[in-house]
Amino acid sequence: MKKFINDVDNLLAESLSGFQAAHRDLVKVHLDPNFVTRAEKPKNKVALISGGGSGHEPLHTGFVGYGMLDAACPGHVFTSPTPDQMLAAAEAVESGQGVLFIVKNYAGDVMNFEMAAEMLPFEHATVITSDDVAVENSTYTTGRRGVAGTVIVEKVVGSLAETGASLAECKALGDKVNSRTASMGVALTSCTVPAAGRPTFELAEDELEMGVGIHGEPGRRREKLRPADEIVADLVTAILHDLKPAPGSEVLLMVNGFTGTPLMELYVLFNAAAKLLEQQELKVVRSLVGDYTTSLEMAGASITVCLLDDEIRKHWDAPVHTAALRWGR
Amino acid sequence: MKKFINDVDNLLAESLSGFQAAHRDLVKVHLDPNFVTRAEKPKNKVALISGGGSGHEPLHTGFVGYGMLDAACPGHVFTSPTPDQMLAAAEAVESGQGVLFIVKNYAGDVMNFEMAAEMLPFEHATVITSDDVAVENSTYTTGRRGVAGTVIVEKVVGSLAETGASLAECKALGDKVNSRTASMGVALTSCTVPAAGRPTFELAEDELEMGVGIHGEPGRRREKLRPADEIVADLVTAILHDLKPAPGSEVLLMVNGFTGTPLMELYVLFNAAAKLLEQQELKVVRSLVGDYTTSLEMAGASITVCLLDDEIRKHWDAPVHTAALRWGR
């Protein structure tokens, strides 16, 4: 295992301390329990809180800031955060309008956020993301997995929350975006959980895992490496089979790297995916390309399509000011 | 070799087409000869043009846009662009105030930009970046290599150029930033040039290359993997030995990933480096953490320190609107 670490047990705390040191203007990192809030607490808005295992950065800590999350609760690598983290985060950021949890659909995360919700002394609701069309049920889920589409949910609901919208309105928009968003990924290599010290799975030099999960969970099938266009065609076909968009629909196309794939190749994937969508008479009017929901050092990528409407597009375009997404102010 | 490609010979063109499709609002990609310009040609400013081999994305194409470059000329992977690209780019973006080339110090790039400069029908100057303190002279250079510090040069001079500053002023600021910026990198794995099909160098499972170049060139020494803090201490020591900053100096600290290193680990490096700088009574007042000057899929990272002054800080903070760096508007 080759990683830049000092001590596996201290990896998360050191990484969060570095995140704090790099982004003092944006965030405040709280240790023990671990959670990240904005540097300045906003007033009189629904508090958006997300969280999940570490190893997917910038998700979720990199999305704390104006126009997106109020707080994020990072667990240890690929391990759910615990209810005490969510409760402490909620106490720190709630400002009288209630708390919306945004949770990727993994059994551990869902259970722990539910436990926190039951103890929460505030009005609350939860949006569970489940954009991964690769498999129904899986290693760590009942139902579909929540993956990179979660970034879009957090951005869009984050913008709405800044307008002073109610908890019910934020919850409704989050569910809507999730229902209009579909993703699927492919791995070229495994990743290595630091505490385990060896690769999560093995792929031969000529193999890929189609439909892989962001923790290296199995996808639809193990298959031989193929040209990028063929890989993308399978991903896009699965996504459109799920979304069934009407011709002429406007979409946001996201190509998300898992870490180990060069940006040059992510744009090859974007090129292929955009052409396929246009062949289906879809209009690619918004884009996001880069590493936004990663799987430690895994080489691979996912494609996400979000069906826009006026409301979603407006909130996607609205200003955001976080460590990992920033535009408009 | 596991990569998302269709045809090695078409990789650059497909990647640039994807870049165009994703960022139509920001850039215009020109093929054959290959160069990238802003979507809208600015008027009456010094035209900033950079370029170099591909495989380092987002450098340089990702930095074309308001507040940074006017054009970038990508060569094939790890191969210098040719003078026809630079001439075509200059013809497209020159707006009466001359052309400033920003060139990383590699023999092929320097030679080709010099040839273009000689043929250029415009007033022109060149800033050569040489921030890598690892080695004097190397596989592809006479003198020091230009690496991730180039991003800072392009950002700072890019801001100055927007103010209507003269060619001489832009050249002088570029040289100043370069002289106040030092970098050094470390590789945990090699990278594979697509056309070669096999790793550029071999590292054993317990080895790292200290002082590696961004094409996988040898650095100072091959050594055993060590804790992150020790690796960072060596990098920071080499950088400060070069810069010799006065106590109390304000610095920009950049931790740049080469692609294959998780963001979580880049923040571990930032944490260690920031502590060391503070122990030297330096003030880390600006930061940049992420993949900005990459080496295909290499796992590894570099540390860059730029000694700020009021002028450099002001231009670093100024608005920028590119695919890879965006803030302030």
Side-chain angles (χ1 to χ4, degrees):
Chain A
M1 177 177 68
K2 279 180 150 180
K3 291 177 185 288
F4 292 117
I5 52 174
N6 292 301
D7 173 353
V8 169
D9 293 336
N10 210 30
L11 169 61
L12 177 58
E14 287 179 43
S15 184
L16 288 172
S17 297
F19 186 72
Q20 171 73 93
H23 306 295
R24 286 187 200 288
D25 55 325
L26 287 173
V27 296
K28 186 165 180 199
V29 170
H30 308 255
L31 298 177
D32 196 17
N34 297 330
F35 63 100
V36 177
T37 63
R38 302 186 190 184
E40 290 183 35
K41 178 177 172 173
K43 292 195 178 80
N44 209 32
K45 70 180 282 292
V46 172
L48 263 53
I49 302 177
S50 189
S54 296
H56 306 300
E57 287 72 22
L59 192 80
H60 300 272
T61 51
F63 302 124
V64 172
Y66 178 81
M68 221 160 158
L69 299 177
D70 291 280
C73 304
H76 286 280
V77 172
F78 292 179
T79 303
S80 173
T82 48
D84 59 316
Q85 294 173 255
M86 299 142 197
L87 288 167
E91 289 285 354
V93 302
E94 207 274 344
S95 62
Q97 301 302 311
V99 171
L100 183 68
F101 287 150
I102 300 177
V103 184
K104 301 190 300 301
N105 187 36
Y106 295 98
D109 293 306
V110 171
M111 182 183 72
N112 283 311
F113 272 97
E114 266 179 14
M115 284 174 60
E118 283 168 16
M119 290 184 275
L120 213 57
F122 310 114
E123 190 189 9
H124 59 268
T126 299
V127 171
I128 294 184
T129 63
S130 55
D131 52 306
D132 189 344
V133 302
V135 289
E136 284 291 335
N137 307 322
S138 71
T139 316
Y140 308 119
T141 65
T142 303
R144 290 173 17 170
R145 303 175 295 215
V147 292
T150 309
V151 177
I152 302 171
V153 172
E154 293 179 358
K155 168 68 185 80
V156 170
V157 179
S159 165
L160 178 65
E162 298 294 345
T163 68
S166 70
L167 180 61
E169 290 166 333
C170 290
K171 155 82 173 155
L173 181 59
D175 286 340
K176 180 173 93 168
V177 175
N178 183 58
S179 73
R180 296 169 69 97
T181 300
S183 302
M184 191 160 140
V186 56
L188 298 189
T189 68
S190 181
C191 54
T192 296
V193 175
R198 55 199 176 76
T200 302
F201 60 104
E202 297 288 345
L203 275 176
E205 192 44 48
D206 63 345
E207 283 182 334
L208 57 81
E209 179 72 28
M210 178 63 70
V212 71
I214 58 173
H215 312 91
E217 308 97 304
R220 290 189 173 187
R221 58 184 177 272
R222 185 72 51 95
E223 59 182 43
K224 295 292 179 190
L225 190 62
R226 293 183 290 154
D229 283 355
E230 294 182 21
I231 296 168
V232 170
D234 281 5
L235 297 175
V236 168
T237 298
I239 288 167
L240 295 185
H241 178 77
D242 180 73
L243 289 178
K244 297 185 175 54
S249 298
E250 296 195 336
V251 303
L252 160 62
L253 172 59
M254 175 182 188
V255 171
N256 170 65
F258 289 149
T259 290
T261 290
L263 189 55
M264 189 177 191
E265 295 175 39
L266 296 185
Y267 282 113
V268 169
L269 301 180
F270 191 94
N271 187 50
K275 280 186 184 165
L276 290 171
L277 294 176
E278 283 154 17
Q279 284 168 13
Q280 298 297 314
E281 297 180 55
L282 300 172
K283 298 175 187 163
V284 179
V285 297
R286 294 294 183 275
S287 67
L288 191 66
V289 183
D291 293 357
Y292 293 99
T293 300
T294 63
S295 303
L296 293 168
E297 69 280 354
M298 184 185 287
S302 59
I303 292 176
T304 297
V305 175
C306 172
L307 293 181
L308 298 172
D309 62 13
D310 290 347
E311 182 184 31
I312 299 172
R313 189 193 311 99
K314 177 180 78 176
H315 290 300
W316 176 259
D317 289 345
V320 60
H321 193 180
T322 68
L325 271 192
R326 193 188 296 208
W327 59 68
R329 78 166 206 177
Chain B
M1 177 177 67
K2 279 181 151 179
K3 291 178 186 286
F4 292 117
I5 52 176
N6 291 301
D7 173 353
V8 169
D9 293 337
N10 209 30
L11 169 61
L12 177 57
E14 287 179 42
S15 184
L16 288 172
S17 297
F19 187 71
Q20 171 72 93
H23 306 295
R24 286 186 202 289
D25 55 325
L26 287 172
V27 297
K28 186 166 181 199
V29 170
H30 309 255
L31 299 177
D32 196 17
N34 296 331
F35 62 101
V36 176
T37 62
R38 301 187 191 184
E40 289 181 35
K41 178 177 172 175
K43 292 194 178 81
N44 208 32
K45 71 179 283 291
V46 172
L48 263 53
I49 302 177
S50 189
S54 297
H56 306 300
E57 288 69 23
L59 191 81
H60 300 271
T61 49
F63 303 125
V64 173
Y66 178 82
M68 222 160 156
L69 299 177
D70 292 280
C73 304
H76 286 279
V77 172
F78 292 0
T79 303
S80 174
T82 48
D84 60 315
Q85 293 175 255
M86 300 141 196
L87 288 167
E91 288 285 354
V93 302
E94 207 274 343
S95 62
Q97 302 300 312
V99 171
L100 183 68
F101 287 149
I102 300 177
V103 184
K104 301 191 300 302
N105 187 36
Y106 296 97
D109 293 306
V110 170
M111 182 183 73
N112 283 311
F113 272 98
E114 266 178 13
M115 284 175 59
E118 282 167 16
M119 290 183 276
L120 213 57
F122 310 115
E123 189 188 11
H124 59 268
T126 300
V127 171
I128 295 185
T129 64
S130 55
D131 53 305
D132 189 344
V133 302
V135 290
E136 284 293 335
N137 308 322
S138 70
T139 317
Y140 308 118
T141 66
T142 302
R144 293 176 10 173
R145 302 175 295 214
V147 292
T150 308
V151 177
I152 303 171
V153 173
E154 293 179 358
K155 168 69 185 78
V156 169
V157 179
S159 164
L160 179 65
E162 298 293 345
T163 68
S166 71
L167 180 61
E169 290 166 332
C170 290
K171 154 81 174 156
L173 182 59
D175 287 340
K176 181 172 93 168
V177 175
N178 183 57
S179 75
R180 296 169 70 96
T181 300
S183 302
M184 191 161 141
V186 55
L188 299 189
T189 68
S190 181
C191 54
T192 296
V193 175
R198 55 198 175 79
T200 302
F201 59 104
E202 297 287 346
L203 274 177
E205 192 44 48
D206 63 345
E207 284 183 332
L208 58 81
E209 179 72 28
M210 177 62 70
V212 71
I214 57 173
H215 312 91
E217 309 96 304
R220 291 189 172 186
R221 57 184 178 274
R222 185 72 52 97
E223 58 181 45
K224 295 292 179 189
L225 189 62
R226 293 183 291 152
D229 283 356
E230 294 181 21
I231 296 168
V232 171
D234 281 5
L235 298 175
V236 168
T237 298
I239 288 166
L240 295 185
H241 178 78
D242 180 72
L243 289 177
K244 297 184 175 55
S249 298
E250 296 195 337
V251 304
L252 161 62
L253 172 59
M254 175 182 188
V255 171
N256 171 64
F258 290 150
T259 289
T261 290
L263 188 54
M264 191 177 189
E265 294 175 38
L266 296 184
Y267 282 113
V268 168
L269 301 180
F270 190 93
N271 187 49
K275 279 186 185 167
L276 290 171
L277 294 176
E278 282 155 18
Q279 284 168 13
Q280 298 297 313
E281 296 180 52
L282 300 172
K283 297 174 186 161
V284 179
V285 297
R286 294 294 183 274
S287 67
L288 191 67
V289 183
D291 293 357
Y292 293 98
T293 301
T294 62
S295 302
L296 294 167
E297 69 281 355
M298 184 185 288
S302 59
I303 291 176
T304 297
V305 174
C306 172
L307 293 180
L308 298 172
D309 63 12
D310 289 348
E311 183 185 30
I312 299 172
R313 190 192 312 99
K314 177 180 77 177
H315 290 299
W316 176 259
D317 289 345
V320 61
H321 195 180
T322 68
L325 271 192
R326 192 189 296 208
W327 58 68
R329 78 168 204 173

